[in-house]
Amino acid sequence: MRTTDKTFFGHPWGLATLFGTEMWERFSFYGMRAILAAFLMAPAVRSGLGLPGTTAFAIVGVYQGMVYLTALPGGWVADRLLGARRAVLLGGFIIMCGHISMAVPVRGPLFVYLGLLLIVCGTGLLKPNVSGMVGYLYRDDEDARRDSGFSLFYMGINIGALAGISVTPVLARDSHWHLAFGAAAVGMALGLIWYVMGRRSLHGAGERVPQPLTPHERRVAVRWVLAGLAALAALTVLLAVTGLFTEDGVTWTVTAIIALITIFYLSYIMHGGHGITPVERRRFGAYIWLFFAAVIFWMIFDLAPGPVTDFATKSVDLTFFGLTIPPGWTQNLNSLFVIVFSPIFAALWLTRWGSRVSSPMKFTFALFMAALSFVVLAMAADVASAGVKVSILWLVVMYLLQTIGELTLSPVGLSVSTKLAPAAFKGQILGVWFLAAALGDAVGGQTFRLTHFLSLTQYYLVLAGIALVAGLFLLMFVRRLKALMGDEDVAPGQALTH
């Protein structure tokens, strides 16, 4: 950075460009997500799709899972075809078109599902690559300055999430769903305008294609794409012929696909014959344990826009001084707690205590927090089962516990991923880490089907039990995992709202 350049809190002005772009993208993403399940469940007379809760929550879970799954191909497209800068621009435009599609005020699911598909594809292009461009701004700087820049960047993520969740539930009142979806489109449009206006401040960040495809590789890539499209068409025909081309059939199929991709990719890294050393294989084996711990954590954590907000709608007293807040606002408790506690946890990890507690132990603690949070929710559901509205303080405690778990697991997971990844996969490890959220979200979306034969209280207790058992299992093998990792524990710099 030249000393005469305009700065953003002492950082390159390009950070302000990327900060604003990601902030508005998260505004659109979290704003739409805050009302999606309610819209899917709303009856036709309230301009919704009238889906049962089990189906609606499965769609939300699969949608979230696909958003994180597409980070892998999105990073590949930037590295091999477009470069990060064009990938972010194209991704933002596709996201905006997705929200516009959902804002079209017509009855029926066509434009809604088309919009969700476009948002998934666009986010896969934008999200991994805008973070990579932040790193490019600090390629010649020391780690502390880079960490500080990422801290500001991630603050933009949480500001955008907070604003989106605050705005769209208000606009969606009285069944004005499409107005709220339109606001998400406007948010992404503002992000694109800000991004284009600030392109000169990026000083070449993301312009170059790091590993452009050779002509032979292009032909191979085209064949793979055509094969993928053919397989998708064949799968669609198969679902239609068997009568499974329904919302439930598709969500189950996509969940299975995400699970198979995850298992295949982890197996490919471990045993794919690409020259990883025995030490790398051993350390990545330890990483897989932590990976599946993260899957269980996200399975519970990302039920917020589905079953948790639905519980707030039906069973929580949301009245304050005569005013009733929208149920979607309760999701902002996580964003508020992240903003308040992120600096505290970042400082904590730099102390002697933070360095002495191993990464497996931190993951174990996060699982215990997830379990405890749903024990609290189960207690609230038990009280509400008597037909009374419960205090919002139950949700405050639940979100506080989950946020503590998130701040323990999420930044540690990002950091340990970079430490334990084989050298051949260093550039792809962020996409691998996102696979944990993809699988956890997709599976979590299906779990509400348990309420067909469990009470709501029992449902929350079952999920709490799964997290508790996983945490105890991990605790039993902490020493073994530390040995496999070579006792390489890491001190993360900043939490990430994923």
Side-chain angles (χ1 to χ4, degrees), residues 185-201:
V186 170
M188 191 64 256
L190 291 173
L192 283 172
I193 292 170
W194 181 255
Y195 181 69
V196 172
M197 289 178 60
R199 63 188 183 278
R200 293 183 179 177
S201 67

Side-chain angles (χ1 to χ4, degrees), residues 292-331:
F292 281 104
V295 169
I296 294 173
F297 180 85
W298 297 127
M299 179 185 74
I300 291 176
F301 182 88
D302 278 337
L303 291 177
V308 177
T309 298
D310 186 57
F311 176 75
T313 302
K314 297 174 179 176
S315 304
V316 177
D317 183 2
L318 300 173
T319 302
F320 291 91
F321 304 105
L323 297 176
T324 302
I325 67 170
W329 277 16
T330 59
Q331 296 176 48

Side-chain angles (χ1 to χ4, degrees), residues 75-336:
W76 183 89
V77 168
D79 286 345
R80 309 304 303 273
L81 291 174
L82 298 178
R85 181 179 295 193
R86 286 189 291 272
V88 169
L89 181 62
L90 178 61
F93 179 76
I94 294 173
I95 291 170
M96 182 184 69
C97 290
H99 288 299
I100 290 173
S101 178
M102 296 186 70
V104 175
V106 296
R107 295 289 178 92
L110 176 61
F111 284 100
V112 174
Y113 296 149
L114 174 62
L116 291 176
L117 179 61
L118 290 172
I119 295 168
V120 163
C121 295
T123 306
L125 283 171
L126 185 147
K127 187 156 182 61
N129 295 309
V130 72
S131 298
M133 291 172 67
V134 173
Y136 182 92
L137 297 175
Y138 298 92
R139 61 194 184 280
D140 298 322
D141 285 320
E142 66 278 7
D143 288 342
R145 181 174 168 80
R146 183 184 295 108
D147 287 347
S148 176
F150 269 101
S151 297
L152 280 173
F153 178 73
Y154 292 137
M155 187 62 71
I157 290 176
N158 287 286
I159 292 172
L162 188 68
I165 296 172
S166 298
V167 170
T168 54
V170 175
L171 295 177
R173 279 179 162 174
D174 300 323
S175 304
H176 294 148
W177 308 106
H178 301 289
L179 178 63
F181 295 144
V186 170
M188 191 64 256
L190 291 173
L192 283 172
I193 292 170
W194 181 255
Y195 181 69
V196 172
M197 289 178 60
R199 63 188 183 278
R200 293 183 179 177
S201 67
L202 297 175
H203 298 303
E207 280 188 356
R208 187 177 63 87
V209 180
Q211 295 176 291
L213 292 175
T214 65
H216 172 69
E217 288 174 329
R218 284 182 179 271
R219 290 191 293 271
V220 172
V222 169
R223 286 198 293 268
W224 274 105
V225 170
L226 292 177
L229 292 174
L232 180 60
L235 180 60
T236 302
V237 171
L238 178 63
L239 291 175
V241 169
T242 56
L244 295 176
F245 195 61
T246 62
E247 283 93 346
D248 285 327
V250 170
T251 57
W252 276 118
T253 301
V254 174
T255 300
I257 290 172
I258 292 175
L260 290 173
I261 289 174
T262 301
I263 294 170
F264 170 80
Y265 203 71
L266 293 177
S267 300
Y268 171 71
I269 294 176
M270 282 288 286
H271 307 291
H274 28 255
I276 72 172
T277 67
V279 172
E280 288 178 327
R281 183 173 287 109
R282 183 197 72 202
R283 298 175 75 205
F284 192 74
Y287 175 76
I288 289 176
W289 285 59
L290 303 181
F291 177 92
F292 281 104
V295 169
I296 294 173
F297 180 85
W298 297 127
M299 179 185 74
I300 291 176
F301 182 88
D302 278 337
L303 291 177
V308 177
T309 298
D310 186 57
F311 176 75
T313 302
K314 297 174 179 176
S315 304
V316 177
D317 183 2
L318 300 173
T319 302
F320 291 91
F321 304 105
L323 297 176
T324 302
I325 67 170
W329 277 16
T330 59
Q331 296 176 48
N332 259 335
L333 289 167
N334 172 248
S335 297
L336 289 170

